[in-house]
Structures are given as structure tokens and as C-alpha cells.
Amino acid sequence: MRNKIKVLIVDDSALARQVLSSILGSSDEIEVVGTASDAMFAREKIKRLNPDVITLDVEMPKMDGLTFLRNIMRLRPMPVVMISSMTEEGADITLEALEIGAVDYIAKPKSDLQKGFEDYADIIVEKVVMAASSRPREYKKKKQLPRGSTNNPADVVLPKTTATSKFKLSSKIIAIGASTGGTEAIKEVLEVLPADSPAIVISQHIPAYFSKSFAERINKSTKMHVCQPTDNMIIKQGCVYISPGDRHLIVKRVGSDYICTLNDGPPVNRHKPSVDVMFRSLSQVAGANAMGILLTGMGNDGAQGLLEMNEQGAYTVCQDEGTSVVWGMPGAASKLGAVDKELPLGVISDEILLFSSR
């Protein structure tokens, strides 16, 4: 029998500690070994209890969650799931936490803490279980998801067709999908690309109240122009379009132009935006002009869509297991035979440059 995952809950709210303990303790895979109201108590309990995963509140007395997270990832890297408020400020702090080394985050409800957490109990458990098998990294100082009621396929948003453009357009286009660990993986891929790189569309599993901050953060770290697209926005070379966190991003063609369309259909594979939906749209309008890239993430969203792109002549790549925080989505694509190459994260940018020069 597999040992249970030992979890330490760090939160200054007694109610949050109680509710999270109840939710996580109800899982057969998890044992809540302790709780702490601040970083000082947590530090001693980490030494004594040796937890496998920590849930860590951002706002705490004595030492804030980000400062404590930096200490953890510098001195004793381990899987940490942040508890973050659903505000613009909370989004910025959460993205910084992911940059420091947190594996994932759980959104703290604005009101009715108990009901809010309980409504997402299965997702909270899933995130903690996933975190236990992730690959934490040492922090080095540098110079929710809302869920669908069913596990829908992409067909509920964009039906599969066999009609794909057979003529070549003058421009190439790149599509990137990611989930857990993806915010930092996407940043690493984009930050070295030149300003005249092919247009890039991205579907990252992220709540709507985080996606705008995510796009703004990425825009500061790359020579390309990064934005959240509006509906029917023309896709241009040198630009990156990150889907809003509550819409599917579908690429269509009008004349010789690609355009972004935003779709408010049901979640696909429990996600909106869904990578499968975006990849399918590229398979139908771009063919061999497209490159599909599937990065780290939990689940299998994007695997089928990447296969459809590959079948229509697109060049397809996934992040390898060794550099993925979670090798769920790229692993699923690899098993389907949807991938031309499995590559370490650090060389995917080079592969984009090779593709753009062909």
C-alpha cells in the first residue's frame, strides 16, 4: 500500500485551517500531519513533521507567504501550493509565487470561506496530490480553476472536420498549450525570442481574474508584444495572444489573415480555455504552416488536438518529462503518437527559431 501524502497547512485563518484540514483529510491519499498559523510555527513543524506538500497562505503575520516561500525554495525545495485571493493584487502575487517555485495555487474565496472551499473540494485534493509528484526547484534570485460539470471533448465547442487548407499562407503561426507549471515555462520559452518571431497563440489553464495579469507580466519579459486578444483581432507577426481565462481561443482565417475568435462555449476536458479547442482550430486552418507545442500540465487536455495538428502536417513538439513540473498533458500527447519531438524546456525556443526559418 502506498504511503499517504503528508500535508502541512499554513494559514493565519483558523477557519481556513479547519476547512482545508477537513477537505484534504477526507482523501484516502492524504494525511494532514499538522497546521500552522504563521511562518515561524511552520518552520519548526517542517523540521519535525517532514511534510511532502505545504499549502501556504500569501497573507500572514510576522512573515508574509512570499518571503517564507523564498526561504523554503532556497533552503529546502519542496512542493508548495499557494492559497491566493481572487483579486488583481492576488493575481500578481500568485504569479510571483509561481516564479519563485510554487507548484500551483488554490483560490481563496472572497466570501463564505467554508462553502467556497467545499465547492472546489475535489480540485483542491487533486492539486495537492499532483503537487506531491511534482519536481520542485531551488529558488535562485534573478539579475481556480473553474471546472466544467462534465469532461467534454472539443466537439462541444468546435466540431472536427476533414477540410483543411491545402495552400500555403505567407505567414507561419505557433500554438502553445500549458497548465500546471506553465506560467513559468511559457515565460522561459518566450523571453529569448526575437521581436520578428512568428505569431504565437497561447491557451494556459488559468482563471479569468489571473489571465490579464499573466499577459502583462509576460509582455515585460519578451521582445514580442503580448496581449489578451479581443474577439476577431487580426493575428500579426511578432505578437503573442494569450487567451482570457474564461474563453476558448479559436483561430480562424479571413482571406490571408489569421484572426483570434473568443468562444464562450462549455469547458472542454474541464477547462476553459481548452488547449484541444485551440489546437483543433489550427489543424483546420493552418496545416503545415503551424507548429504546436504542449508544455507541462496536469491531465490530458491538448493531446488529441496536437494529434489532429500533426495529422494535417503541422510540426508538433512537447516538453520532456525531465523538465516538466507535471508530465500529464505532454505525456498524454507522447503516448498518442502526436509528437514529432520531445524536448527539454530550455531548447524549445531554439526549435521555434528553426521552424520559423524553414
Side-chain angles (χ1 to χ4, degrees):
M1 181 177 176
R2 190 174 71 174
N3 292 333
K4 289 191 175 184
I5 298 163
K6 297 186 294 182
V7 178
L8 174 66
I9 297 169
V10 185
D11 200 301
D12 68 328
S13 164
L15 178 58
R17 296 196 301 272
Q18 177 187 340
V19 175
L20 287 172
S21 294
S22 176
I23 289 171
L24 296 174
S26 67
S27 169
D28 293 337
E29 298 179 81
I30 295 172
E31 177 187 3
V32 178
V33 294
T35 65
S37 59
D38 62 44
M40 303 305 149
F41 285 124
R43 184 173 58 187
E44 297 306 315
K45 291 195 175 185
I46 290 171
K47 294 176 184 176
R48 181 161 51 87
L49 300 172
N50 193 29
D52 300 307
V53 178
I54 296 175
T55 69
L56 178 60
D57 189 20
V58 168
E59 299 175 0
M60 295 190 301
K62 298 182 182 178
M63 182 185 293
D64 66 87
L66 285 186
T67 301
F68 188 46
L69 178 65
R70 288 189 188 94
N71 291 340
I72 292 172
M73 303 315 293
R74 186 178 71 251
L75 301 173
R76 186 177 176 173
M78 62 190 306
V80 177
V81 178
M82 302 301 293
I83 309 295
S84 306
S85 62
M86 295 186 290
T87 63
E88 185 173 344
E89 181 182 1
D92 290 336
I93 293 172
T94 301
L95 291 169
E96 186 174 351
L98 295 172
E99 182 177 306
I100 293 167
V103 174
D104 208 339
Y105 56 88
I106 295 165
K108 179 176 278 190
K110 293 181 181 178
S111 60
D112 199 346
L113 192 68
Q114 181 163 349
K115 184 177 186 304
F117 274 146
E118 289 175 349
D119 284 346
Y120 290 88
D122 54 346
I123 292 178
I124 292 171
V125 169
E126 185 178 34
K127 286 182 181 242
V128 169
V129 170
M130 176 278 304
S133 61
S134 68
R135 298 170 181 82
R137 67 183 189 278
E138 179 183 354
Y139 171 65
K140 295 179 180 178
K141 190 172 181 179
K142 297 183 178 179
K143 296 184 178 175
Q144 131 105 241
L145 291 240
R147 171 181 68 130
S149 58
T150 58
N151 192 23
N152 293 318
D155 305 69
V156 299
V157 173
L158 185 64
K160 184 176 181 181
T161 69
T162 56
T164 302
S165 170
K166 297 301 180 184
F167 62 90
K168 282 200 172 274
L169 301 172
S170 59
S171 58
K172 294 182 178 179
I173 185 168
I174 295 163
I176 300 175
S179 186
T180 310
T183 56
E184 284 307 296
I186 288 168
K187 180 181 176 183
E188 183 169 335
V189 169
L190 297 183
E191 63 187 0
V192 298
L193 295 179
D196 61 351
S197 296
I200 299 175
V201 290
I202 296 176
S203 285
Q204 160 74 42
H205 296 162
I206 196 167
Y209 42 85
F210 283 6
S211 57
K212 183 173 181 287
S213 293
F214 175 51
E216 290 171 350
R217 193 177 187 90
I218 296 296
N219 190 48
K220 295 174 183 177
S221 66
T222 178
K223 296 183 177 77
M224 300 181 73
H225 174 69
V226 183
C227 68
Q228 275 196 164
T230 54
D231 199 29
N232 295 319
M233 179 179 281
I234 295 175
I235 295 173
K236 297 180 180 179
Q237 182 179 356
C239 295
V240 179
Y241 305 87
I242 297 179
S243 179
D246 57 355
R247 295 290 188 275
H248 298 296
L249 194 161
I250 294 174
V251 176
K252 293 184 178 179
R253 194 178 64 237
V254 176
S256 61
D257 291 325
Y258 297 118
I259 64 168
C260 291
T261 61
L262 303 179
N263 182 284
D264 195 20
V268 170
N269 301 321
R270 301 198 312 175
H271 294 288
K272 186 165 71 171
S274 162
V275 183
D276 263 341
V277 170
M278 181 183 69
F279 281 173
R280 173 171 287 182
S281 72
L282 266 295
S283 77
Q284 294 178 355
V285 301
N289 293 290
M291 178 180 183
I293 303 170
L294 197 53
L295 301 177
T296 174
M298 179 171 59
N300 62 2
D301 187 35
Q304 178 61 37
L306 197 67
L307 177 62
E308 292 174 15
M309 287 185 69
N310 186 273
E311 289 172 341
Q312 295 300 331
Y315 180 48
T316 55
V317 168
C318 77
Q319 187 175 350
D320 70 356
E321 185 172 8
T323 62
S324 294
V325 173
V326 181
W327 205 56
M329 289 159 52
S334 180
K335 290 173 185 175
L336 267 185
V339 177
D340 290 316
K341 283 186 181 179
E342 291 178 23
L343 296 171
L345 180 63
V347 302
I348 289 177
S349 299
D350 294 333
E351 206 67 21
I352 290 174
L353 295 176
L354 288 172
F355 171 75
S356 65
S357 66
R358 290 174 188 166

